[in-house]
């Protein structure tokens, strides 16, 4: 899937504040949406794989929602902590077989103490 | 074991050298991937192997030659590379099944390649 857009490109948030960012993608031929967290000097780590319209997933203080009809997903972080500082990548995915991922450019999140 | 390992961690090679990158996983995943990541950009897909057969080649130059000798191993053979091929090369694996969570990809730490 092409034309994956993530916004904002970068984000500075005070420790303790909550934040959210967006992944937009074409709604046609949609199968699943992946969210990954990528910390400096580490491997990208899967956060969520979402498939159903209206789906909401949660992992600790991080949650995500999915709207396949309008082609967007939000990632929310509640009560940001310094360890949340990372680049958050989304990758919409079409097809059910083994396909590689086309990532958006990511949102670079910096949590300021 | 939920780990994807890659060797070497760092590699410096000349444009006339032949070298190989290796990737290994023991999670029973039958899909394996090579990605290339340049500074400040997201990973870009290079190759996909499904059940040890090459299923996707994203128009990668022939100086990159992938190989999947068995279900746990994935190699990337390098020959006559150019300086612009310097990048972080990431390997990943996943299940082949179509259902949601099963499709998440597990990434290795990458090989940092420098071509002189």
């Amino acid at each position: 899937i092409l034309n994956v857009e993530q916004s904002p490109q970068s984000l500075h948030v005070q420790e303790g504040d909550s934040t959210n960012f967006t992944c937009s993608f074409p709604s046609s031929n949609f199968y699943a949406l992946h969210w990954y967290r990528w910390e400096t000097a580490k491997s990208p780590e899967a956060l969520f794989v979402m498939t159903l319209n209206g789906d909401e997933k949660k992992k600790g203080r991080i949650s995500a929602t999915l709207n396949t009809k309008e082609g967007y997903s939000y990632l929310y972080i509640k009560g940001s902590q310094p360890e949340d500082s990372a680049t958050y990548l989304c990758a919409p995915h079409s097809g059910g077989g083994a396909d590689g991922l086309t990532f958006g450019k990511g949102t670079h999140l910096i949590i300021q103490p | 074991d939920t780990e994807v390992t890659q060797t070497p961690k760092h590699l410096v090679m000349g444009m006339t050298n032949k070298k190989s990158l290796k990737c290994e996983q023991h999670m029973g995943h039958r899909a394996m991937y090579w990605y290339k990541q340049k500074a400040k950009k997201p990973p870009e897909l290079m190759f996909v192997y499904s059940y040890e057969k090459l299923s996707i080649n994203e128009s990668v130059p022939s100086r990159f030659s992938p190989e999947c000798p068995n279900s746990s191993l994935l190699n990337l053979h390098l020959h006559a590379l150019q300086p612009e091929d310097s990048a972080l090369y990431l390997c990943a694996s996943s299940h082949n099944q179509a259902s949601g969570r099963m499709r998440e990809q597990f990434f290795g730490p990458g090989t940092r390649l420098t071509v002189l």
Side-chain angles (χ1 to χ4, degrees):
Chain A
I1 294 183
L2 302 177
N3 300 322
V4 182
E5 293 186 7
Q6 290 190 246
S7 63
Q9 286 189 10
S10 65
L11 191 55
H12 289 69
V13 175
Q14 285 295 123
E15 182 178 353
D17 287 352
S18 297
T19 188
N20 65 84
F21 30 93
T22 309
C23 172
S24 301
F25 53 88
S27 55
S28 58
N29 293 324
F30 174 85
Y31 179 77
L33 182 88
H34 297 237
W35 278 103
Y36 285 79
R37 174 170 60 201
W38 196 6
E39 296 177 63
T40 303
K42 293 187 177 180
S43 313
E45 174 196 0
L47 289 173
F48 307 111
V49 179
M50 308 174 77
T51 56
L52 299 176
N53 184 46
D55 205 3
E56 183 170 345
K57 301 263 186 182
K58 190 174 181 182
K59 187 176 185 178
R61 294 178 292 99
I62 303 176
S63 61
T65 59
L66 178 66
N67 184 321
T68 61
K69 293 184 179 180
E70 296 182 39
Y72 64 85
S73 175
Y74 293 136
L75 191 80
Y76 300 90
I77 301 178
K78 185 178 178 182
S80 303
Q81 298 297 309
E83 59 265 29
D84 296 328
S85 295
T87 297
Y88 291 81
L89 299 167
C90 75
H93 177 80
S94 59
D99 291 341
L101 297 176
T102 299
F103 290 97
K105 292 182 179 179
T107 292
H108 184 51
L109 177 65
I110 298 171
I111 307 302
Q112 297 170 322
Chain B
D1 183 2
T2 58
E3 190 179 11
V4 176
T5 59
Q6 290 187 244
T7 56
K9 289 185 178 180
H10 300 273
L11 179 62
V12 179
M13 61 186 290
M15 290 189 284
T16 58
N17 292 158
K18 285 185 181 181
K19 296 286 184 182
S20 296
L21 309 185
K22 296 185 185 300
C23 173
E24 190 167 1
Q25 57 87 17
H26 296 286
M27 293 178 278
H29 292 165
R30 301 302 295 275
M32 296 186 76
Y33 313 82
W34 280 114
Y35 291 85
K36 175 181 178 179
Q37 192 263 326
K38 301 278 279 184
K40 298 188 178 181
K41 290 190 174 182
E44 292 182 3
L45 182 68
M46 300 175 73
F47 302 105
V48 179
Y49 271 83
S50 177
Y51 296 103
E52 295 86 68
K53 294 190 189 308
L54 183 65
S55 62
I56 294 177
N57 176 340
E58 290 287 345
S59 303
V60 179
S62 60
R63 58 186 184 267
F64 295 91
S65 176
E67 178 198 18
C68 190
N70 60 56
S71 59
S72 299
L73 293 174
L74 185 66
N75 298 323
L76 186 63
H77 303 298
L78 314 172
H79 175 52
L81 294 194
Q82 303 296 311
E84 59 264 28
D85 296 321
S86 298
L88 180 69
Y89 289 84
L90 291 163
C91 172
S93 70
S94 74
H95 287 291
N96 255 349
Q97 285 85 348
S99 59
R101 182 79 188 172
M102 297 288 280
R103 298 300 316 286
E104 71 179 77
Q105 293 188 14
F106 290 78
F107 282 83
T111 293
R112 176 72 61 188
L113 174 67
T114 302
V115 182
L116 301 176

